[in-house]
Each structure stands twice: as structure tokens, then as C-alpha cells.
Amino acid sequence: MKIADLHVLLKVAELHSITAAANQLDMSSSAASVSLKRVEQELGAQLFVRTTRQLRLTTEGERYLPLCQQALGLLQQGQVLINEEQQSITGEVRMAVSSEMGRNLMRVLLNNIMRKYNTVTLRLHASDSRADFYRDGVDVALRAITKDTAKDLNLYGFKVCNIPHVLCAAPTYSARHGEPQTPDDLPHHNALLYKLYEVVHDGWELYQHEQKYKIKMNSDRAVNDGDIVRRWCVDGEGIAKKSAIDVAQDLLAGRLKRLMPEYKIPLTEMWLVLPSRQLISPAIRLIRDELKHHINDLRAQLIANKLLDEDEWPEAQES
């Protein structure tokens, strides 16, 4: 039974006129009559006695009308409740992040959100291995991906920002071993390497204008945790290639120094991705907005301190 037909029924009963009800509901009298007939046919009973001068409820109509009003009232309450929930910051967020982002930026950001919105609960999956939405039971994942990969994603989501990368080392490392000046110098330094699925990322790609350099790095260590690479770098154990987001505070505090700034590293992109549009909740949108705000603040600080320039870290377009 159509809900719109029940609205017609109630309005006709209220006004005792199909024409008057149709005018108020902004529909034709014939359409209103068809709605009434549909209800009567589904019920198998006549609800109105129609004469040329008046229209009144039958006994069946008098019994059915209060139930109809009650049913529509419950449906409207349900709709209001759903709308309120969709507009409120509440519910469980099941989110996957990298180990480094989970320990640092996202830990603090999510703490702040949950202090403000105590109806939000969190289930965080922190791993450098790519989470599977169904196997790992997550609804949204924060991923760093290449620009080409972003075009091919068969997922829903939001681009949060562009991610520049930098070469960096601790002042203690530079004091002992000096600083590389050109790509040819890099193999003579100890690289702190990241590995994933047993693949060691020891091929570093750099650009200077149109010139591309692919450097095979030498290293005494590799790990499948990006945060340990960062900590090794702060400890003065070698040179690292890191996301500017991950080492922003270290650069600003002087714990790390940027190396060879005239040589650029290809940008990646940060995305919040979901397997279904229906999973985009107000809480997810809030996390996106807070993340964008935080990263824009980091970007502004790094540019103001001349650790990066605006061309190296272009602002993300709205997605």
C-alpha cells in the first residue's frame, strides 16, 4: 500500500471532499479518486459513502481511519529519527590507517573528535598492510596512493590532500657523515628503508626540472613500519625518504633537516576511501574536514619556515 495514498485518505476524511483534498495536496481530483480506490481495493472494503452532495466515512472507514493515522505517525517519527541521526555526529567508526598515521597524527585527531562528540565510538585497524574492508571489518580507510592509482579506484571517497616527500637526516648524522649534494652522492650514504610484503623500497626516484634520476640505495636496515624509519632517522642512523606530513614536526623542531631540496620526489595523494557511498556518515565527513584542516595547518607552517615551497605542496582540489 502506498504511503501517498494513505495521506490522500486522511485528507479526504478531514475535509469531507475529494476536490478540496486534491487542491490542498496539489493534485488532480481524478488522481485523488484513484488513490482512494487503490486503498479500498487493497483492503477489500468501502471506506466512504459517496453521494452527489456529501461524502462520509463508512463503518469500516471509521474503524480504519485511527489505525491509518497511527501508522503514518509512526512512519513520520521513524523518518525524523533517521534524519536526525544522519545529521548528528554519532555511531561507530571502523577505520583503517597506516601504523605511522595511527600512532601519531590520527591518534591525536581522533582523540580530539571523540572528546567533543562522546557518542562516537572507534574501532581502529592500524597496519601498513592494506586493509580489506570485508575481511578486516572496516568501513573507511585512510590511504596514500599515486595519482594514477586514484583514477582507477573502484571505491567511493574523498581526496584529503596531496603528499609531498622529502629526503631528510638528523643533524647528528650529517655531522658524522656529511650531506649528499647530488643524486650521485646518495649511494654513499646509509638509507633507512621501508619494506612492505617483503619488497624493500630501495629505488629512490628524484627529479630536477625535466631530468629524472633513479637511485639504487645502500642500507644496513629495513622495516615494515614507517614510524620506525622516522625514529631511526631522528636517532641519526641514516637518510630517509619520508612524507612531509609524517616528518613535519621533526623538521619544524630541528630534529631532522631536509636534504637536497632542489631535487623533487613525485607527489602522492591521501584519500579517505569507502566500499559504499551509504557508509559516508556525518562522523566520516567530520574526520575528513578535521584532517584537511590539520594538514593545511602543517603545510602553512612548513612553507612559512621555508622548509617547503607552495609549488612543492599544491593544495588539493575539492573532491
Side-chain angles (χ1 to χ4, degrees), residues 140-176:
V140 60
L142 186 64
R143 290 183 180 173
I145 54 183
T146 65
K147 187 173 182 179
D148 291 338
T149 304
K151 295 176 183 177
D152 298 332
L153 275 180
N154 188 26
L155 296 166
Y156 298 94
F158 308 100
K159 180 180 176 181
V160 177
C161 65
N162 294 303
I163 308 175
H165 291 73
V166 298
L167 299 181
C168 54
T172 53
Y173 176 87
S174 297
R176 293 196 310 269

Side-chain angles (χ1 to χ4, degrees), residues 165-168 180-187 202-217 239-242 258-267 312:
H165 291 73
V166 298
L167 299 181
C168 54
Q181 303 299 317
T182 70
D184 290 338
D185 296 335
L186 285 173
D202 58 357
W204 289 3
E205 192 174 293
L206 304 174
Y207 288 86
Q208 188 181 44
H209 308 301
E210 300 302 317
Q211 181 69 42
K212 176 180 177 180
Y213 301 89
K214 188 72 179 283
I215 311 299
K216 174 77 170 180
M217 299 299 297
I239 293 173
K241 178 170 72 74
K242 292 294 295 176
R258 187 178 178 189
L259 304 176
M260 299 169 54
E262 65 274 20
Y263 293 90
K264 312 307 180 189
I265 299 169
L267 288 172
E312 289 180 280

Side-chain angles (χ1 to χ4, degrees), residues 38 40 100-101 214 217 282 297 312:
R38 273 199 297 262
E40 290 177 330
E100 185 162 15
M101 293 289 281
K214 188 72 179 283
M217 299 299 297
D297 183 58
E312 289 180 280

Side-chain angles (χ1 to χ4, degrees), residues 107-126:
R107 174 181 58 83
V108 175
L109 184 144
L110 292 168
N111 281 345
N112 292 336
I113 289 175
M114 293 176 71
R115 288 190 191 109
K116 186 174 181 180
Y117 299 97
N118 58 15
T119 54
V120 173
T121 59
L122 177 67
R123 299 293 179 266
L124 196 64
H125 179 93

Side-chain angles (χ1 to χ4, degrees), residues 13 69 77 93 109 128 150 155 170 180 185 204 222 295 298 309:
Q69 290 171 322
Q77 288 177 28
V93 175
L109 184 144
D128 283 356
L155 296 166
D185 296 335
W204 289 3
I295 290 173
L298 283 180
D309 60 50

